[in-house]
Amino acid sequence: MAVFDDMADEMVDFKVPDFTVVVPARYGSSRLPGKPLLDIAGEPMVAHVWRRACQSHASRVVVATDDSRIRDAMLPYGAEVIMTRDDHPSGTDRLAEVADILALTDDALLVNVQGDEPLIPPALINQVALRLADDPEASIATLAEPINDVGTLFNPNVVKVVRTLQGRALYFSRAPIPWDREQFKAPPTMLATDAWLRHIGLYAYRAGFLAAYRDWPASSLEQLEQLEQLRALQNGHAIQVALACEINPAGVDTAEDLARVRALLEQLSF
């Protein structure tokens, strides 16, 4: 916990910049069909995400969806809902359409909060917006947290990131990077240092970057790793990576994740 306590000190007495949160919510999901509308403690999952985003310092929170069922579920909450096309190849492309619909200026900041993160701490949303505002030469900001166990490091479903001393991303990969040439000659049983970072999929973007991004073809690295942020790196754009100021609970990708989150939120409601 000391790592997170130290990082929290950096969040004291800061001024959060003006930014908009967009919550993309697609109905289709191969693992959990209709995932944004799955019930958690009596409410749809996306409503929990929207409420946490509203607890951040965002000046505006928008739910972006291509399905009228999600729109109809969120309007009673008073949420602002924008209908987007259903043919976007990625969430970043959907965000670019939202920036167009909102007529945002090129330097406007948007934070993408995935619709399957019902436990996301609002402080992380503020932090990623602040990190992008603090680096005017960066097009994207995101977050990471230390990896402490071998299983996580070697799990291809966990995205790893390596960054510069100034906090900018060098590379993202599903592979265990950096590779310890001496210690990894045989399968390791423990990690000797805190050199490894897990990427947290929370992003802040400049609206002008989003307009350019959607016109680029998918890059070779992006296609190999199946990581869309590599398109930005391969096109020469800087990505700031901050160490998360709070622990970020895992989102909902599987039925097991859903059961875990339901149990947690039901406990909190008592």
Side-chain angles (χ1 to χ4, degrees):
M1 290 298 297
V3 174
F4 291 95
D5 291 340
D6 290 344
M7 290 182 289
D9 292 340
E10 300 175 5
M11 299 297 291
V12 177
D13 297 330
F14 66 89
K15 183 179 184 301
V16 177
D18 184 72
F19 65 95
T20 297
V21 168
V22 179
V23 181
R26 290 179 59 252
Y27 190 85
S29 171
S30 58
R31 292 181 176 177
L32 292 173
K35 182 163 63 169
L37 296 183
L38 293 176
D39 182 270
I40 299 178
E43 294 184 309
M45 183 189 308
V46 66
H48 291 276
V49 181
W50 171 81
R51 185 176 293 110
R52 286 183 174 261
C54 290
Q55 292 169 1
S56 74
H57 294 299
S59 58
R60 191 174 190 177
V61 178
V62 175
V63 176
T65 185
D66 57 6
D67 195 287
S68 60
R69 287 167 290 189
I70 295 174
R71 176 198 62 198
D72 295 344
M74 290 307 298
L75 289 179
Y77 288 92
E80 181 178 3
V81 181
I82 290 180
M83 298 301 296
T84 58
R85 302 200 318 267
D86 61 1
D87 60 348
H88 287 301
S90 72
T92 309
D93 293 282
R94 191 178 306 279
L95 222 65
E97 183 187 1
V98 172
D100 284 345
I101 292 171
L102 297 180
L104 298 178
T105 61
D106 285 350
D107 58 353
L109 305 186
L110 293 89
V111 176
N112 183 0
V113 178
Q114 295 296 333
D116 58 4
E117 296 280 350
L119 300 176
I120 187 167
L124 297 187
I125 301 173
N126 296 333
Q127 183 186 12
V128 75
L130 178 64
R131 177 50 63 99
L132 184 57
D134 280 348
D135 188 347
E137 296 180 356
S139 299
I140 306 174
T142 189
L143 301 177
E145 61 187 6
I147 294 175
N148 299 311
D149 65 280
V150 171
T152 299
L153 180 62
F154 282 80
N155 184 346
N157 295 316
V158 175
V159 178
K160 277 69 70 173
V161 60
V162 176
R163 60 182 194 154
T164 69
L165 294 175
Q166 292 73 38
R168 288 188 175 179
L170 287 169
Y171 193 65
F172 297 84
S173 181
R174 298 182 184 279
I177 57 171
W179 184 263
D180 190 327
R181 190 182 68 172
E182 298 301 322
Q183 298 300 318
F184 291 178
K185 289 178 180 178
T189 58
M190 61 180 295
L191 299 179
T193 74
D194 59 357
W196 294 277
L197 296 175
R198 176 191 183 196
H199 177 228
I200 297 172
L202 176 67
Y203 294 97
Y205 301 94
R206 299 188 193 281
F209 163 80
L210 290 170
Y213 178 94
R214 67 180 169 194
D215 293 332
W216 300 332
S219 73
S220 58
L221 295 176
E222 173 189 6
Q223 292 174 316
L224 284 170
E225 296 264 15
Q226 292 295 296
L227 298 173
E228 62 187 80
Q229 64 268 39
L230 292 176
R231 190 187 313 182
L233 284 184
Q234 206 162 4
N235 278 279
H237 284 256
I239 301 177
Q240 270 288 347
V241 184
L243 294 179
C245 63
E246 290 187 19
I247 294 175
N248 182 48
V252 177
D253 289 321
T254 66
E256 292 75 18
D257 294 335
L258 179 63
R260 171 183 52 80
V261 172
R262 279 174 170 166
L264 284 171
L265 286 179
E266 285 171 1
Q267 290 173 7
L268 292 175
S269 65
F270 287 104

